[in-house]
Amino acid sequence: MATLCRPAIAVPEHVITLEETLDLARTLHAGHPQLGLALRLIENTGVRTRHLVRPIEETLTHPGFTLRNQVYEREAKLRVPEVVERALGHAELEARDIDLIIYVSCTGFMMPSMTAWLINTMGFRSDTRQVPIAQLGCAAGGAAVNRAHDFCRAYPGANVLIVACEFCSLCYQPTDLGVGSLLSNGLFGDAIAAAVMRGHGGTGVHIERNGSHLVPDTENWISFGVKDTGFHFQLDKRVPGTMEMLAPALRSLAGAHGWDVSGLGFHIVHAGGPRILDDLCHFLNMEPAQFRYSRATLTERGNIASAVVFDALARLFADGGVPEGTPGLIAGFGPGITAEISLGSWVDNQADPARRRPRAISTSDIALVHPSAPRRFPAGTTITE
């Protein structure tokens, strides 16, 4: 039995609103022949606020890929540990109880991976296994859940920590003036997420089955052009219509498990844009309310890449979860075009006493209830239980 426990989420302290995004686009691209189209597309995303790892004035500059990647590494090391601590707390485990760390990111590069730094820094065992996932983009959150499930099936009783760190704003390219690039400038946001999959015990989603589906001959529809200036996001105009091709994969996997995908009790899916959610409602014959958590993530934080599914799942937890045994689905969509899909039922178990450990109160915990306490996180950062 492998249970995905409550995720911990944090978003950076710098906020940009839809109105500010539109004003910047009008100013920076005043002579662009398709500015009107870009503005309409940005407004139609439904994104109202996004969080950025740097102030907007710095985000709009490009000091070179070397310096940008240094920012990525510095900010990841500054911000990830606190989120990991909270995720471990939600699972009622400590670092030494973790057998595998899966680190997901497509917005910066480190070698050794961030997994090695976490093991050396946060008290994880030296025999903790490491799986970095770097090239699945927005689908990687779902892929991380699936690989954690695979590991727990192969090693019963094992515990897996998943970390998703996405600083999409570090991929801003001021020279990319295509409509798809302008749209992405108003869509993507920054966030960090962490969650534990427990091999025994825990409250959350008991994962029962997982699967993957790649739509043939679509590998160039979502991609990064890797250039001297870093990662250049490339988006084909056909991407918004991909749910017509992926919805059958969701239905098929659920059917193979004996479930009707349209009748499940919760749906946690990647929200790359409102069309994805609207089309899923149409092709799966579902009510819009079924995707309310994913839509709330998109509205309040934008497309935060691999972290979306964890942010949306955290909102389900914050709502009190669902009744014991309720079946549901978690799915990430991304480059390939790829869908990574998990099926599971809600469980509300006490942690297995044999695997529980007392958790020390950290300064970050105190800072949540006492504003004068020392902080380990940059002031203004938003954290979500």
Side-chain angles (χ1 to χ4, degrees), residues 317-330:
F317 273 91
D319 245 6
V322 289
E324 179 89 13
T326 299
L329 172 147
I330 300 171

Side-chain angles (χ1 to χ4, degrees), residues 38 47 59 110 112 116-117 136 154 162 186 210 234 292 309 320 368:
V47 177
T59 300
M110 293 172 59
W117 185 85
L136 280 174
I162 301 169
N210 76 67
Q234 299 170 157
R292 61 190 178 278
V309 290
L368 297 181

Side-chain angles (χ1 to χ4, degrees), residues 18 21-22 34-48 178-184 186-187 235 237 240 272-275:
L18 171 62
T21 298
L22 293 172
Q34 294 180 293
L35 176 61
L37 172 60
L39 293 176
R40 288 194 300 274
L41 291 173
I42 292 171
E43 197 159 12
N44 290 339
T45 60
V47 177
R48 294 292 173 261
V179 171
S181 295
L182 297 186
L183 170 61
S184 70
L187 177 63
L235 184 70
K237 64 182 180 181
R275 171 100 183 255

Side-chain angles (χ1 to χ4, degrees), residues 168-187:
C168 301
S169 63
L170 295 179
C171 297
Y172 170 71
Q173 297 290 348
T175 60
D176 289 354
L177 301 178
V179 171
S181 295
L182 297 186
L183 170 61
S184 70
N185 294 341
L187 177 63

Side-chain angles (χ1 to χ4, degrees), residues 244-296:
E244 183 174 5
M245 295 174 274
L246 289 179
L250 305 185
R251 188 176 295 282
S252 176
L253 185 69
H257 200 57
W259 291 354
D260 175 9
V261 71
S262 303
L264 302 180
F266 60 92
H267 297 78
I268 303 299
V269 303
H270 176 70
R275 171 100 183 255
I276 287 178
L277 303 178
D278 294 343
D279 280 0
L280 282 176
C281 289
H282 173 70
F283 293 115
L284 297 179
N285 191 28
M286 294 168 54
E287 294 297 320
Q290 288 295 101
F291 299 109
R292 61 190 178 278
Y293 300 118
S294 298
R295 199 175 295 274

Side-chain angles (χ1 to χ4, degrees), residues 7-8 12 14 32 51 97 110 116 125 171 215 256 262 274 278 308 325 327:
H14 306 292
H32 196 290
H51 294 256
D97 300 315
M110 293 172 59
R125 305 189 319 267
C171 297
V215 179
S262 303
D278 294 343
V308 167

Side-chain angles (χ1 to χ4, degrees), residues 25-285:
R26 292 187 189 101
T27 301
L28 295 173
H29 308 292
H32 196 290
Q34 294 180 293
L35 176 61
L37 172 60
L39 293 176
R40 288 194 300 274
L41 291 173
I42 292 171
E43 197 159 12
N44 290 339
T45 60
V47 177
R48 294 292 173 261
T49 55
R50 292 175 295 144
H51 294 256
L52 309 176
V53 76
R54 298 181 299 167
I56 186 60
E57 298 80 12
E58 295 180 21
T59 300
L60 294 174
T61 64
H62 196 325
F65 182 55
T66 299
L67 290 179
R68 275 194 172 176
N69 205 63
Q70 289 173 357
V71 171
Y72 173 89
E73 181 172 346
R74 181 183 70 240
E75 295 294 336
K77 289 179 176 179
L78 174 67
R79 299 169 187 272
V80 165
E82 191 275 342
V83 185
V84 167
E85 286 178 359
R86 280 191 288 121
L88 291 170
H90 291 329
E92 298 188 270
L93 297 176
E94 292 187 350
R96 65 176 177 267
D97 300 315
I98 297 299
D99 303 290
L100 166 69
I101 300 174
I102 301 176
Y103 181 79
V104 177
S105 183
C106 64
T107 53
F109 182 80
M110 293 172 59
M111 192 172 72
S113 166
M114 187 73 173
T115 52
W117 185 85
L118 289 170
I119 291 169
N120 286 325
T121 305
M122 295 194 65
F124 295 96
R125 305 189 319 267
S126 60
D127 64 347
T128 304
R129 292 176 169 125
Q130 309 170 58
V131 174
I133 301 178
Q135 293 162 302
L136 280 174
C138 297
V145 173
N146 289 350
R147 299 296 77 76
H149 179 225
D150 292 341
F151 188 83
C152 288
R153 291 181 65 193
Y155 301 94
N159 300 309
V160 180
L161 170 68
I162 301 169
V163 181
C165 178
E166 301 289 15
F167 299 146
C168 301
S169 63
L170 295 179
C171 297
Y172 170 71
Q173 297 290 348
T175 60
D176 289 354
L177 301 178
V179 171
S181 295
L182 297 186
L183 170 61
S184 70
N185 294 341
L187 177 63
F188 287 94
D190 300 346
I192 298 167
V196 172
M197 187 172 290
R198 286 190 58 127
H200 291 305
T203 293
V205 183
H206 164 47
I207 304 297
E208 300 177 29
R209 191 186 194 106
N210 76 67
S212 179
H213 181 78
L214 183 141
V215 179
D217 302 319
T218 59
E219 62 187 274
N220 294 322
W221 288 20
I222 303 174
S223 62
F224 270 166
V226 183
K227 305 179 182 179
D228 291 343
T229 47
F231 304 138
H232 291 246
F233 184 67
Q234 299 170 157
L235 184 70
D236 190 279
K237 64 182 180 181
R238 293 170 287 185
V239 167
T242 51
M243 288 306 104
E244 183 174 5
M245 295 174 274
L246 289 179
L250 305 185
R251 188 176 295 282
S252 176
L253 185 69
H257 200 57
W259 291 354
D260 175 9
V261 71
S262 303
L264 302 180
F266 60 92
H267 297 78
I268 303 299
V269 303
H270 176 70
R275 171 100 183 255
I276 287 178
L277 303 178
D278 294 343
D279 280 0
L280 282 176
C281 289
H282 173 70
F283 293 115
L284 297 179
N285 191 28

